Amino acid sequence: LKLINARTIKIEEFNESAIPHYGILSHTWEDREILFQEIDLPGIESNNGYDKIEKACQLAIRKRLNYVWVDTCCIDKSSSSELSEAINSMFRWYMKSDICFVYLSDLGEGVPTECGLEHCKWFTRGWTLQELIAPSNLEFYDAAWNVRGTKRGLEETLHQITGIDKNVLRNSDLLNNIPVAKKMSWAASRQTTRTEDLAYCLLGIFDVNMPLIYGEGCKSFLRLQEEVVKTTHDLTIFGWKSSNPTKQEYRGILASTPHEFASSPEQRINNLRLQPKMLDPLQGEFSVTNRGVRITSRLLCAPSNPDVYILPLRYHGLNYDSANSQMGIYLRKLEPILLLELCRALFTQLILKFLTKEQKSELSTLRRRSLQICATQYTAFDVLQSSFTFIMI
């Protein structure tokens, strides 16, 4: 790990077993930042990006810390292997820091904290999501480097701005108790300069690792979801809604970007919780194969419309805000051949309530509507006893 000596402002390198206590800077990149190869150049102190490094070092010294990590200059981005290691390890580095200094360059000195925070671009960037969640000790500073509060002190404001659970803000270890779709929704309105970074900035949030391939575009987010599928049985990963339905005819089972997790039905996905000790008897394991995502599950089907099914997106005992609520996606049968071909019907919608006595007639109506509108999601199924083993491409 490369760290900046807070007193000399020189970079030093440490083995994993001998890393000293350090502070860490979280910020949004400006036009001219100091890179690893530039930190020791003569006259670099006159560069605007140097000021942030210097101020972070001063703050660290006040906290009795001798070292600081800054992403602009503590990663040699000319080395693909070092860049890959850094991005795969970054969540852990923020989590292990003694304190994280958040510099909000667009929060004016005279702007009130509570109403000014929500307009800061720091809350719109992909990378800063993990930088908010991972550190246990975090302080916010405005454009003039005045302290504006701590993560704990501003907990309610941060929750309102980001939608992140307060418990997770207090303790990042609780991320495993949050449904996949909900964690994806936290990143739905965030942006990155590179398309691939929309996936790479979420590696720590989902506790997965994968190689970096810049130039692959949106495929990086598909690879991220495949890695998540390998580590969880949470079916809410399929609980997305298309962000561009009118221009699509066929879709895969996985979302294209985190933005497709933004429009959860009535935003009720924010009420989801996971109880890992409870298992839903309707769902089996699912995994990524060379043909797609393989799932063994019973499908829900109304007798009045045998061509339309519902796949419940429920596992590990999801709790909803209503005892009779579940989340599911529509599937529509296309051809009665050896492998039943189905498409994901109405993939711009999710359903939350079904199979209650009062709603059976309503459910049949919804299925007829999905049959008429049809949709766009090819899926192949193998019939297995009373359940279906199917591959969703």
Side-chain angles (χ1 to χ4, degrees):
L1 177 64
K2 292 182 173 67
L3 295 172
I4 301 171
N5 187 308
R7 300 184 184 279
T8 65
I9 312 188
K10 302 293 183 182
I11 292 180
E12 300 179 17
E13 191 164 359
F14 297 88
N15 294 326
E16 192 73 23
S17 59
I19 296 175
H21 293 277
Y22 62 93
I24 201 163
L25 176 66
S26 176
H27 63 114
T28 53
W29 280 45
E30 308 296 338
D31 292 335
R32 189 66 181 92
E33 299 289 352
I34 306 299
L35 304 181
F36 172 74
Q37 290 82 3
E38 302 172 327
I39 189 70
D40 292 326
L41 293 179
I44 196 66
E45 296 84 359
S46 61
N47 191 296
N48 291 336
Y50 192 86
D51 183 64
K52 281 192 287 190
I53 298 173
E54 195 171 42
K55 288 291 197 301
C57 289
Q58 292 171 3
L59 288 174
I61 292 173
R62 291 180 200 170
K63 302 292 183 180
R64 298 184 179 180
L65 298 171
N66 293 321
Y67 292 93
V68 175
W69 190 88
V70 183
D71 59 351
T72 56
C73 58
C74 289
I75 305 173
D76 182 2
K77 297 175 182 64
S78 65
S79 168
S80 58
S81 60
E82 181 171 333
L83 178 62
S84 180
E85 179 184 1
I87 289 179
N88 277 279
S89 305
M90 204 173 293
F91 187 92
R92 178 164 47 88
W93 292 349
Y94 275 90
M95 185 173 62
K96 289 188 174 182
S97 66
D98 286 61
I99 187 170
C100 177
F101 309 113
V102 176
Y103 176 58
L104 305 172
S105 60
D106 52 353
L107 180 59
E109 190 172 7
V111 179
T113 301
E114 281 72 17
C115 62
L117 279 180
E118 63 178 322
H119 301 295
C120 292
K121 59 184 177 182
W122 188 84
F123 290 98
T124 69
R125 307 305 295 169
W127 291 105
T128 55
L129 176 60
Q130 66 175 359
E131 295 166 16
L132 171 61
I133 293 175
S136 58
N137 187 11
L138 186 148
E139 292 180 348
F140 291 91
Y141 292 82
D142 62 21
W145 290 94
N146 300 305
V147 64
R148 290 302 194 95
T150 65
K151 181 164 69 168
R152 190 60 183 268
L154 296 168
E155 183 179 278
E156 179 61 33
T157 302
L158 296 174
H159 168 68
Q160 293 298 325
I161 294 173
T162 64
I164 300 171
D165 293 45
K166 295 178 186 178
N167 288 335
V168 174
L169 291 173
R170 297 177 199 142
N171 182 3
S172 61
D173 290 339
L174 299 179
L175 276 171
N176 289 335
N177 296 336
I178 304 298
V180 170
K182 187 174 183 182
K183 287 186 281 190
M184 289 290 189
S185 72
W186 297 342
S189 61
R190 294 178 179 258
Q191 302 173 343
T192 56
T193 303
R194 300 289 297 270
T195 301
E196 296 84 357
D197 286 337
L198 275 174
Y200 302 154
C201 70
L202 298 176
L203 293 176
I205 300 294
F206 291 99
D207 193 21
V208 296
N209 299 97
M210 68 185 203
L212 311 186
I213 308 175
Y214 283 101
E216 67 175 338
C218 292
K219 291 180 181 179
S220 60
F221 189 62
L222 295 176
R223 286 200 298 122
L224 171 68
Q225 293 170 92
E226 290 173 356
E227 292 301 321
V228 173
V229 165
K230 294 176 184 177
T231 60
T232 180
H233 291 157
D234 180 4
L235 286 173
T236 66
I237 191 172
F238 306 128
W240 51 268
K241 293 169 60 177
S242 175
S243 57
N244 196 12
T246 59
K247 295 184 179 180
Q248 296 164 313
E249 186 175 4
Y250 300 105
R251 285 291 303 270
I253 189 62
L254 300 176
S256 297
T257 72
H259 308 315
E260 297 194 312
F261 288 89
S263 302
S264 302
E266 299 86 39
Q267 297 301 317
R268 289 167 65 185
I269 199 167
N270 288 329
N271 296 314
L272 298 181
R273 295 292 186 276
L274 284 177
Q275 296 180 349
K277 293 182 180 180
M278 296 176 61
L279 300 180
D280 190 328
L282 290 179
Q283 306 297 346
E285 295 182 357
F286 65 99
S287 60
V288 177
T289 74
N290 61 342
R291 293 184 58 190
V293 179
R294 179 181 293 274
I295 299 178
T296 299
S297 173
R298 295 176 184 174
L299 296 180
L300 310 179
C301 180
S304 59
N305 197 337
D307 287 342
V308 178
Y309 302 92
I310 290 175
L311 173 65
L313 303 185
R314 189 164 184 246
Y315 209 79
H316 285 300
L318 278 175
N319 276 346
Y320 294 81
D321 57 347
S322 168
N324 295 323
S325 294
Q326 291 188 14
M327 185 167 64
I329 57 175
Y330 290 101
L331 301 174
R332 177 175 180 265
K333 184 163 58 177
L334 296 179
E335 295 292 339
I337 56 177
L338 293 179
L339 284 178
L340 282 116
E341 290 186 352
L342 290 92
C343 64
R344 177 167 168 175
L346 290 174
F347 71 95
T348 60
Q349 296 185 12
L350 297 174
I351 57 171
L352 279 171
K353 292 186 177 181
F354 53 85
L355 290 188
T356 61
K357 293 181 179 180
E358 298 79 6
Q359 296 170 335
K360 285 185 178 180
S361 59
E362 177 186 353
L363 180 58
S364 297
T365 302
L366 289 173
R367 284 170 172 155
R368 283 196 293 272
R369 188 180 307 152
S370 70
L371 181 63
Q372 294 168 2
I373 297 176
C374 188
T376 52
Q377 184 87 10
Y378 271 133
T379 311
F381 289 68
D382 296 313
V383 179
L384 180 60
Q385 297 178 1
S386 61
S387 63
F388 292 91
T389 297
F390 52 94
I391 298 176
M392 298 193 282
I393 302 171

